[in-house]
Amino acid sequence: MNRTDLASTIAQRTGVSVKDANAVLGGLNDVILEAVGRGEKIQLPGLLTIERVKRAARTGRNPQTGEEIQIAASNAAKVTAGSKLKAAAKG
């Protein structure tokens, strides 16, 4: 389901306009990105958890030359489905 489909579904189930549902989704997206960027963990019990995963810099080997190289640190968002979401996916 893409964002347009999600906004339409929310609008049908709640009685708000598709435009308003889409605006709420956009605002929610901005809030989530900002919170996760600050390192906060977002939890919707039973549905999902969104958190930042920070990987420290490490060393590795260049597969072509065999020389040791520095692999950069990275930040990523990890989304974990909760029990209710997993149950809904199973049907």
Side-chain angles (χ1 to χ4, degrees), residues 48-64:
L48 55 85
T49 301
I50 305 169
E51 61 189 311
R52 183 170 69 175
V53 177
K54 189 172 186 177
R55 293 184 177 91
R58 61 192 193 283
T59 57
R61 296 221 175 262
N62 181 326
Q64 294 176 339

Side-chain angles (χ1 to χ4, degrees), residues 57-63 65-72:
R58 61 192 193 283
T59 57
R61 296 221 175 262
N62 181 326
T65 65
E67 80 176 297
E68 194 170 273
I69 57 173
Q70 183 76 23
I71 300 171

